[in-house]
Amino acid sequence: DLVLSNQSTIFNKYNLIKNLQTTNLFKPLIPIAVLTFNREQFLKRTLDHLFKILPFGHPIIVSQDGTEEKVWQLITQNPNYSNRIFAIRNTERQIPQGVQGNLVVYYHIARHYYFALSNIFDKFGFDQVILIEDDMEIAPDFLEYFQATLPILELDKTIWCVSAWNDQGLPQYSQDSKILRRSNFFPGLGWMLQKSLWNELKSKWPLATGFWDDWMREPEQRKGRDCIYPEIARSHTFGSIGASNGQFYDYLQKLRLNTEFVKFSSIDLSYLFHDNYHNNFISRLAKAIVVNDYHAIVTNREQTRNQDYKYYYNSIQNFADISKSLGIMTDFKAGIPRTGYDGVITLHLENNNTLFISPHSPQQNFNDPNYRKLLKK
């Protein structure tokens, strides 16, 4: 049952924590882990950026996979970096027999994540961590965002991660830096998890299959839980060369990175708790005006303001066609569209209009056998 029990107790705990944060009496310690392989210059750029954004002395763990010496020298022998970070190194890089070609790198990545998380939680004893990779830059309020959402993650068992990323966050579809949302989709790319989730996942981590992020999106791992993500992203990738050979790079460069500091610890985020969020979402969706021409809404031909609209899709292919036309990500993972909540994509337009790209029933289960047949069409 995903509905929160004993909500008054949960809200009281949340308000107590929020008040402590607002008065600066309590700021949770959340280390940032940077995963790297052999891109010394990328790592240097990422660390330089982190040093500018984070308070001096904030714990930064750099985990290197492999034995590229330039990377190891940067994080252990260059005092500009070694004095501000803690370095760990994974040199055990065996992969299952028979794995060859382009697939090899994804096995290494999955095993590197296991190595890093094992050290962070099981050896160092941290309670939570933010994971980024060595080709990422962050927003000025990156740490504030995660510190303010950590109480939600701790108290709401229907949430299993917080991400800084918005897959659909093109400038024309993301207007408000204060808005946060829930998604059934696991985004990654700058995300926070707690030790309790690691304890749940580590015994079955996909060491033998790789593709750890797609594995996270499978129903057996997600268990109906959501991730929090911002309307305007708090992380951005500049990696044109990497494991995926720059897949989606041109698109990813267009995504908007937040530039203003939002003091989330002073904002009531209780709207993100499951019942509050879900009931408000369903209510808005039900009241939204059904349209037959989504381009007219996106271009705001009627010059409307503060209006909710919805456009229905009826299959994977139909969704892909709509998304391609709108210039957003088209794919589904484990039956869920990127940033989707109950199959619905939310695009915040200019003039505070919102367009919901929605299945006819927001409760539609995209993992059922009938829906799976649509994947083949």
Side-chain angles (χ1 to χ4, degrees):
D1 187 4
L2 290 182
V3 179
L4 291 173
S5 60
N6 200 3
Q7 286 198 54
S8 61
T9 300
I10 290 174
F11 292 155
N12 288 338
K13 289 181 179 179
Y14 169 72
N15 287 328
L16 174 61
I17 295 171
K18 186 172 75 69
N19 290 336
L20 291 173
Q21 288 193 1
T22 302
T23 56
N24 291 317
L25 292 175
F26 170 72
K27 289 289 185 181
L29 179 64
I30 315 175
I32 295 177
V34 183
L35 277 70
T36 188
F37 174 45
N38 64 358
R39 301 183 294 186
E40 177 212 4
Q41 291 303 312
F42 280 24
L43 176 61
K44 186 176 183 296
R45 176 175 168 179
T46 294
L47 291 175
D48 288 343
H49 190 75
L50 289 179
F51 295 159
K52 291 178 182 178
I53 299 292
L54 300 176
F56 186 85
H58 188 86
I60 300 173
I61 302 165
V62 178
S63 179
Q64 183 192 4
D65 191 33
T67 57
E68 172 58 52
E69 282 304 316
K70 288 184 178 180
V71 170
W72 190 242
Q73 289 174 9
L74 175 72
I75 56 180
T76 60
Q77 298 179 28
N78 185 328
N80 293 328
Y81 300 92
S82 61
N83 289 343
R84 295 195 62 177
I85 62 100
F86 183 79
I88 57 177
R89 193 183 204 185
N90 177 36
T91 58
E92 300 294 328
R93 305 191 74 235
Q94 299 93 348
I95 60 171
Q97 291 184 350
V99 178
Q100 298 178 347
N102 295 333
L103 296 179
V104 170
V105 64
Y106 295 103
Y107 286 85
H108 285 315
I109 292 172
R111 287 164 179 255
H112 185 198
Y113 267 84
Y114 182 88
F115 169 82
L117 290 168
S118 295
N119 275 274
I120 292 163
F121 289 127
D122 300 334
K123 185 175 181 180
F124 304 150
F126 287 108
D127 294 320
Q128 53 268 327
V129 68
I130 301 166
L131 297 167
I132 68 172
E133 298 183 4
D134 63 1
D135 58 358
M136 302 191 76
E137 294 180 339
I138 62 174
D141 56 357
F142 179 86
L143 184 59
E144 168 76 9
Y145 163 68
F146 281 107
Q147 288 176 330
T149 52
L150 178 59
I152 308 289
L153 178 63
E154 289 180 328
L155 294 171
D156 188 342
K157 301 309 177 185
T158 71
I159 294 174
W160 71 327
C161 79
V162 179
S163 175
W165 186 257
N166 180 356
D167 275 304
Q168 314 290 20
L170 294 171
Q172 62 268 39
Y173 304 134
S174 52
Q175 311 300 325
D176 194 333
S177 60
K178 296 182 179 65
I179 291 180
L180 307 180
R181 297 197 180 95
R182 295 174 67 123
S183 174
N184 310 140
F185 189 88
F186 170 74
L189 293 170
W191 62 289
M192 174 172 65
L193 76 158
Q194 292 191 286
K195 185 174 184 178
S196 56
L197 180 60
W198 173 242
N199 288 338
E200 175 187 327
L201 297 177
K202 62 184 178 182
S203 65
K204 56 178 182 175
W205 194 259
L207 298 172
T209 58
F211 298 95
W212 71 272
D213 47 351
D214 284 341
W215 176 83
M216 288 277 289
R217 295 170 182 133
E218 294 173 358
E220 293 79 10
Q221 281 66 251
R222 190 174 74 84
K223 296 181 179 177
R225 294 171 290 191
D226 298 333
C227 287
I228 296 171
Y229 76 99
E231 177 170 306
I232 300 180
R234 265 59 184 187
S235 60
H236 184 77
T237 180
F238 58 83
S240 57
I241 302 172
S244 59
N245 295 315
Q247 186 184 26
F248 305 127
Y249 176 75
D250 291 340
Y251 173 82
L252 299 180
Q253 294 312 293
K254 300 174 185 176
L255 297 180
R256 187 174 182 181
L257 176 66
N258 184 57
T259 57
E260 63 176 306
F261 189 97
V262 176
K263 193 168 178 57
F264 283 110
S265 57
S266 297
I267 299 174
D268 184 0
L269 300 179
S270 62
Y271 69 89
L272 290 168
F273 284 114
H274 178 272
D275 287 11
N276 292 348
Y277 188 90
H278 186 76
N279 292 337
N280 179 66
F281 183 86
I282 294 301
S283 176
R284 280 188 67 185
L285 191 64
K287 296 174 183 177
I289 299 171
V290 179
V291 295
N292 295 318
D293 183 357
Y294 53 84
H295 280 296
I297 305 304
V298 170
T299 57
N300 200 18
R301 293 176 194 168
E302 302 299 322
Q303 295 297 301
T304 59
R305 300 184 66 87
N306 306 315
Q307 187 60 255
D308 288 346
Y309 301 94
K310 59 187 172 189
Y311 184 90
Y312 290 125
Y313 67 91
N314 53 37
S315 70
I316 286 282
Q317 186 57 55
N318 185 216
F319 177 87
D321 292 341
I322 297 166
S323 299
K324 186 175 182 180
S325 178
L326 291 170
I328 60 176
M329 299 288 273
T330 63
D331 59 332
F332 279 59
K333 299 282 189 177
I336 300 172
R338 293 177 186 268
T339 72
Y341 183 81
D342 283 354
V344 182
I345 300 297
T346 302
L347 303 178
H348 192 182
L349 311 174
E350 293 182 356
N351 293 327
N352 201 34
N353 293 326
T354 298
L355 175 63
F356 298 109
I357 307 298
S358 173
H360 280 279
S361 169
Q363 297 298 326
Q364 182 174 347
N365 180 358
F366 293 100
N367 288 307
D368 69 26
N370 293 326
Y371 186 74
R372 283 294 179 188
K373 294 177 182 176
L374 294 172
L375 294 172
K376 301 177 181 179
K377 291 185 177 181

